[in-house]
Structures are given as C-alpha cells and as structure tokens.
Amino acid sequence: MAVAKPSIPLGDLESFTVHLKSSTRILALLGAGLSASSGLPTFRGAGGLWRCHDAISLATPEAFQDDPTLVWQFYSYRRHMALQAKPNKAHFALAELARKRKDFITLSQNVDGLSQRAGHPSSQLQLIHGSLFDVRCTSFYCKYSSQNDFSDPIVPALAIPKGGFQPELAPDEKTGEQGAASLYAAMEKPSASTEPVKELDISDVNVPIPDVSVSDLPHCPKCKEGLLRPGVVWFGEMLPKEALSAIQDFTNKPEKIDLILVIGTSAKVYPAAGYVDIARAKGAKVAVVNMDRADTPGGKNGLAKGDWFFEGDAGEIVPEILKSVIGEL
C-alpha cells in the first residue's frame, strides 16, 4: 500500500525547491517538535512533572549537589526513553543535507541524541543545550568529559526496574512501606513466566524506585573520585562556548546566508531567536516547519513575503521539502 505524502501546497513546495537548489549557506534551528515526531516525551513548561517533582527543579546544579541520586535517576530515565525512540525521517534528511551541503550548519536545542544517531556529521551539528549522552566530571581539578555514550543503563544501579507485580496493601497501610517492601521482594525473585517482564514506569510517583547510594552512581574513570554529571546545560549555566563560537563564525562570514530552516521550534527564546534575525539580515529567506501556525518566529506576522510556513509533522514534511537535493530516503 502506498504511503500518503504530506499535504504541502504545491506553489509553496515549488518556490521553496527553486530556492533550496540555489542555496549553499544554510542554517537550521531544531526544537522539541522534531523529537515529538519520534514519539519522545518532553518535560517542558507548566505541569512538566517527573514523579512528584517539577522537572525544571531537577535541572539545576543545586539539585545535583543536594541529591545527585534523584537527579541521576531522572536523567537515566530520560536517556532510556530517548534510546527507545528512533530517529525519524527528518533527522535522516537533515543529516543527508549536511553531507550534500558542506556550508550547512545545524543548531539543535534538543538533548535527545537523535540527530547524532541519524548520522548527522558532528562538525555541522551544534548542541546548544548539550546532550543526555555526554557526561563530564564534577571535580574542580578534573577536565574529563565523554561524548555520545549511548550505554543503557550508564551504570547497573540506574537500570530501569522490571516487574509486573502490583502489591496488595493492608486496609490500614498508610506509609507505602509495605507496598515498597513487597515490590522489591517480588523484583528479586526469578519469574517462572515465559512472558517478557515489563519495565516499571518510574515516572509514576506510585511506583517505588530502588534506593541507590552515591557510591553506585557514575564516577569519573580518570580521577577516580569525582561524580560524573549529565552533559546537559542546566538552568543558571552558561551555554557551551564551542557551539556559540561555531555559530558566530558561520554568521560572521562576509558571504550571505541563503536560507534558515526553523523546525519544531518557535525560536522565541534567545539566543536561538536572535539567529533568525541575524540570518534574515544576511539575506536569508525563512522556512518554518511546525504543527502550529501561530508558533512562528515573531508570531503569526513573523514571516516576510517570500518566506514559507509548512504546517504539519516535521518527520513527514522535512524529507519531502528537501527531496530535490537529498533524493528519496
């Protein structure tokens, strides 16, 4: 059965294709909408809870200092969920465009590792918010860091617990201790069933999670003492200098920028928002791919004459609009 192609106005597709074919210097801004096409959950904005915790409250240096076990359990869960997702066709399309256009650079706000797993050339991919799959040592005197560590779990103690057991609680059970104890006991017993044991949803506050000591958390293989931390940019931290410098070098070149692709993001938060203005000032046309027409740089009236808005699923639209350069995926 033939797969239905995304509904893209023919006139928009034709005019974009003409411009894309003549474009050499291209910038792309990627946001969470791209990952949503892979079915990846996010923890952004109001109501973004993990267990009973505001996800934002776990994304700070202070949270890691106060309770590194809880923060690592949260990020280990996010790593696991990201690895369950697969790069979608848009990730592969952008990776292929990078191989076809050496003067194409991508600025991603996503930390999920999907672009890297799609084979996007690392020299043309800048991760402004870091990556779940990078780690670095927290010891002041140690400079150890590692990139693209896709091991799951990163250490055995952070493995997602498994079991299909639901504890039966006594009528007077108030503390949850009985349920937790019975669940842990069930998890430790081998199952006689031939059915695969399901992973427990530890994002649910009603599902107990194992106690993990700090000594069992990821530690630095170089200095042997410092705790490793996730290589994401936490609230209150500076954005990575290397990524910002690479983008600045690209935008500061005297040559014009032909095109900026804004995919799965409103690009309303700085510094990402500023790159749309910079690219436009350097002559770029703007092409937005998003599910919500109001979610564009500058709002509904943020696009100029000759720009494009492609409404719909980025995973379907991006490979279609890039097909004239990258071919069929």
Side-chain angles (χ1 to χ4, degrees), residues 172-178:
D172 59 349
E173 167 67 10
K174 301 294 185 182
T175 66
E177 293 180 0
Q178 176 187 332

Side-chain angles (χ1 to χ4, degrees), residues 165-310:
F165 175 77
Q166 295 295 328
E168 294 183 8
L169 303 182
D172 59 349
E173 167 67 10
K174 301 294 185 182
T175 66
E177 293 180 0
Q178 176 187 332
S182 59
L183 181 55
Y184 292 144
M187 288 164 57
E188 292 173 357
K189 293 179 181 179
S191 174
S193 173
T194 58
E195 296 182 1
V197 181
K198 294 182 179 179
E199 293 175 343
L200 299 175
D201 180 10
I202 64 170
S203 67
D204 183 349
V205 68
N206 296 309
V207 175
I209 54 178
D211 292 326
V212 177
S213 68
V214 172
S215 63
D216 290 328
L217 295 177
H219 278 72
C220 179
K222 183 179 179 181
C223 72
K224 310 296 184 183
E225 295 180 358
L227 269 178
L228 294 180
R229 55 156 284 180
V232 296
V233 178
W234 283 330
F235 289 96
E237 293 184 326
M238 300 291 290
L239 299 178
K241 293 180 180 178
E242 296 83 0
L244 296 180
S245 294
I247 299 294
Q248 187 173 29
D249 290 344
F250 179 85
T251 56
N252 282 349
K253 288 182 178 179
E255 298 87 358
K256 69 172 290 190
I257 298 174
D258 300 299
L259 175 66
I260 181 168
L261 303 168
V262 183
I263 302 171
T265 176
S266 64
K268 293 177 181 176
V269 178
Y270 282 85
Y275 293 127
V276 177
D277 296 332
I278 291 171
R280 196 191 294 278
K282 299 274 292 190
K285 289 191 174 184
V286 181
V288 178
V289 180
N290 209 302
M291 295 292 290
D292 186 351
R293 185 165 286 276
D295 207 10
T296 63
K300 291 182 179 180
N301 300 317
L303 298 181
K305 185 177 180 180
D307 291 338
W308 301 270
F309 187 96
F310 299 104

Side-chain angles (χ1 to χ4, degrees), residues 8 22 71 74 105 205 216:
I8 301 174
S22 65
V71 172
F74 172 57
I105 191 168
V205 68
D216 290 328

Side-chain angles (χ1 to χ4, degrees), residues 33-105:
L34 178 62
S35 301
S37 296
S38 292
L40 192 62
T42 60
F43 297 93
R44 291 160 40 120
L49 296 178
W50 186 76
R51 298 181 69 80
C52 61
H53 305 280
D54 180 350
I56 293 177
S57 72
L58 298 177
T60 67
E62 293 78 16
F64 188 77
Q65 184 175 7
D66 291 344
D67 194 342
T69 294
L70 177 64
V71 172
W72 255 122
Q73 287 174 318
F74 172 57
Y75 278 97
S76 181
Y77 172 81
R78 291 189 63 187
R79 285 168 59 99
H80 182 73
M81 295 302 294
L83 288 171
Q84 300 308 299
K86 295 181 179 180
N88 61 59
K89 290 187 290 184
H91 292 107
F92 290 109
L94 291 165
E96 184 62 22
L97 182 63
R99 287 186 283 271
K100 298 283 188 181
R101 292 285 192 270
K102 297 304 180 184
D103 225 355
F104 166 49
I105 191 168

